[in-house]
C-alpha cells in the first residue's frame, strides 16, 4: 500500500510532483530507491538526493589533540536541548574520553570509563537529568603521521563537522580550507579511485535509461550515445569526489588544483551532519490532508 508518508519522502528526495511520486511508487511496488531511479529515468527527477533530510536534533563535534582527531555525533529530541549546558558538558566529556582512549567503534566508546561509570552511563544520566532521550550515535577516531596535517571545521556550532588529513607541504590554513570545503560541499569520496564500482554502474544504468527515453537522441549512432552516457556519468558523479569539486573560495578552480598549488594531497576525511539518515515523525496539516487523500 502506498502511503502519504512514502509519497512525501519521495517528493523530498527528488523534487518531483505528488502524483508522479505516487505513480513511481506504484510502479515499483513501494520500493523507495527503485522509485527514485524510475523518476530519474523518466526525466521527472533530475537527481536523487540521499541523506539530506535532517531528521534528528543534537550536535556533531570534531576535535584534534596531537596526532589524534575525533568526530562524533550526540543526538537529542529538540534543538533547544542541544544548547543546554549539561548537554554541552556531555559532549566535552565524550570528546576527552575519545581522544584519550581512541576506541575502535561505537560499542567500545560506550564502554569506556567516564566520570559516572562508562560513557553509556553518562549518556543515560544525561537523559534522566535533561528529560529528553540523549544518544551517542556514531564516532570516528583518526590517527595521523607526524608529517601530516589535520584540518578541522565545525559549522553552526556543530550542525556539521569535518575532519581531514593532508600530507605534503600543507599548513593549518590550507587544511582548514579543505575541511570547510568538505563541510559545505559534502563529498563522499576523496577521488574517483575510491568510488565503489557499483556506484558507477548504478549511475550508468540510470543514464542509459535516460538516454534511451530521449527522443532527440533516437537516431544517434551507438558510439555517440555511449559517449553521451559516459559524459553524463562523469558530470553526475564528479561532485561526490572531493578533488573534482569546485573550490568554494574560487569556483574557477577545482579542489585538485588548489591542493596541487599548495603541494599537498588528501589522505582521508570524515564528515558528520546532525541527523543525516534519521527520519523523525513530523505531524502537520499538509501531511494530514495527504494522508486522507492517499488513505495512509
Amino acid at each position: 500500500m502506498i502511503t502519504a508518508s512514502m509519497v512525501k519522502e519521495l517528493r523530498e528526495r527528488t523534487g518531483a510532483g505528488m502524483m508522479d511520486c505516487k505513480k513511481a511508487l506504484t510502479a515499483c511496488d513501494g520500493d523507495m530507491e527503485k522509485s527514485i531511479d524510475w523518476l530519474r529515468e523518466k526525466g521527472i527527477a533530475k537527481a536523487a538526493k540521499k541523506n539530506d533530510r535532517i531528521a534528528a536534533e543534537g550536535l556533531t563535534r570534531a576535535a584534534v589533540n596531537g596526532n589524534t582527531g575525533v568526530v562524533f555525533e550526540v543526538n537529542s529530541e529538540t534543538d533547544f536541548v542541544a544548547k543546554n549546558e549539561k548537554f554541552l558538558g556531555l559532549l566535552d566529556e565524550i570528546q576527552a574520553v575519545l581522544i584519550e582512549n581512541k576506541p575502535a567503534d561505537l560499542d567500545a566508546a560506550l564502554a569506556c570509563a567516564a566520570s559516572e561509570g562508562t560513557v553509556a552511563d553518562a549518556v543515560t544520566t544525561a537523559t534522566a537529568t535533561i528529560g529528553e532521550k540523549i544518544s551517542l550515535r556514531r564516532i570516528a577516531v583518526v590517527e595521523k603521521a607526524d608529517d601530516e596535517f589535520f584540518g578541522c571545521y565545525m559549522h553552526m556550532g556543530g550542525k556539521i563537522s569535518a575532519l581531514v588529513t593532508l600530507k605534503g607541504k600543507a599548513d593549518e590554513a590550507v587544511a582548514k580550507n579543505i575541511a570547510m570545503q568538505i563541510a559545505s560541499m559534502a563529498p563522499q569520496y576523496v577521488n574517483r579511485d575510491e568510488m565503489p564500482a557499483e556506484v558507477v554502474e548504478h549511475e550508468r544504468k540510470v543514464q542509459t535509461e535516460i538516454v534511451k527515453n530521449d527522443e532527440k537522441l533516437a537516431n544517434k549512432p551507438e558510439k555517440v550515445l555511449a559517449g553521451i552516457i559516459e559524459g553524463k556519468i562523469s558530470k553526475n558523479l564528479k561532485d561526490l569526489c572531493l578533488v573534482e569539486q569546485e573550490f568554494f573560495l574560487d569556483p574557477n578552480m577545482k579542489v585538485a588544483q588548489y591542493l596541487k598549488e599548495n603541494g599537498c594531497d588528501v589522505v582521508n576525511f570524515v564528515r558528520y551532519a546532525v541527523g543525516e539518515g534519521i527520519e523523525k515523525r513530523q505531524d502537520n496539516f499538509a501531511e494530514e490532508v495527504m494522508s486522507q487523500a492517499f488513505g495512509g
Side-chain angles (χ1 to χ4, degrees):
M1 180 179 179
I2 309 305
T3 66
S5 61
M6 292 166 68
V7 174
K8 180 174 180 288
E9 179 182 349
L10 189 55
R11 288 187 71 190
E12 289 175 348
R13 292 179 65 174
T14 65
M18 185 169 65
M19 296 309 296
D20 286 326
C21 287
K22 188 184 180 190
K23 192 182 297 182
L25 286 162
T26 301
C28 300
D29 296 322
D31 187 299
M32 190 63 62
E33 300 305 320
K34 288 182 180 178
S35 297
I36 291 171
D37 288 345
W38 189 93
L39 287 168
R40 293 185 67 195
E41 288 163 7
K42 294 292 185 291
I44 297 169
K46 293 182 179 179
K49 297 180 180 179
K50 298 182 180 180
N51 296 327
D52 60 352
R53 302 184 317 284
I54 306 304
E57 302 301 337
L59 289 173
T60 64
R61 183 175 287 186
V64 169
N65 183 33
N67 284 350
T68 302
V70 298
V71 189
F72 62 96
E73 177 182 0
V74 180
N75 293 128
S76 60
E77 293 181 47
T78 66
D79 184 55
F80 179 76
V81 163
K83 301 179 178 70
N84 182 294
E85 286 187 13
K86 290 186 174 64
F87 183 84
L88 295 174
L90 176 65
L91 264 71
D92 290 340
E93 181 169 15
I94 291 172
Q95 175 181 316
V97 169
L98 294 181
I99 287 175
E100 180 180 354
N101 293 275
K102 305 175 181 56
D105 54 32
L106 180 59
D107 288 340
L110 290 168
C112 286
S115 61
E116 298 183 29
T118 64
V119 169
D121 294 330
V123 171
T124 300
T125 299
T127 297
T129 304
I130 295 171
E132 279 192 14
K133 181 181 178 181
I134 309 298
S135 61
L136 173 59
R137 182 187 177 201
R138 51 183 172 165
I139 69 151
V141 178
V142 182
E143 294 288 338
K144 75 170 185 65
D146 289 337
D147 61 348
E148 294 175 338
F149 286 84
F150 275 137
C152 190
Y153 177 70
M154 294 192 297
H155 181 64
M156 293 179 64
K159 289 299 180 185
I160 301 173
S161 292
L163 176 71
V164 63
T165 309
L166 299 179
K167 64 180 179 180
K169 299 177 182 178
D171 56 24
E172 291 182 5
V174 172
K176 183 176 181 180
N177 282 341
I178 296 299
M180 291 177 72
Q181 173 82 25
I182 292 164
S184 61
M185 301 305 290
Q188 294 182 30
Y189 313 99
V190 173
N191 51 47
R192 194 69 65 95
D193 292 339
E194 282 192 359
M195 188 177 290
E198 56 265 28
V199 173
V200 180
E201 287 308 309
H202 176 79
E203 187 64 24
R204 179 172 285 108
K205 175 181 175 295
V206 171
Q207 294 302 333
T208 298
E209 287 299 316
I210 291 173
V211 169
K212 188 187 297 182
N213 293 326
D214 190 335
E215 294 180 0
K216 296 177 182 177
L217 302 174
N219 298 318
K220 297 283 186 182
E222 285 296 320
K223 189 174 181 180
V224 173
L225 292 178
I228 291 173
I229 290 168
E230 290 305 313
K232 286 177 173 289
I233 292 170
S234 180
K235 181 179 179 182
N236 279 9
L237 295 183
K238 69 180 178 66
D239 284 340
L240 297 181
C241 298
L242 172 62
V243 298
E244 294 185 42
Q245 293 180 340
E246 294 178 353
F247 183 43
F248 79 107
L249 289 176
D250 183 358
N252 295 317
M253 177 187 293
K254 298 289 187 182
V255 171
Q257 184 182 345
Y258 177 74
L259 289 167
K260 185 177 180 180
E261 289 183 0
N262 287 279
C264 58
D265 295 297
V266 174
V267 178
N268 53 49
F269 69 82
V270 180
R271 179 189 186 274
Y272 285 172
V274 171
E276 59 190 347
I278 301 176
E279 189 167 356
K280 181 173 64 178
R281 181 180 177 84
Q282 293 181 333
D283 294 316
N284 55 43
F285 178 70
E287 188 169 323
E288 186 177 323
V289 171
M290 286 179 68
S291 180
Q292 292 175 1
F294 289 94

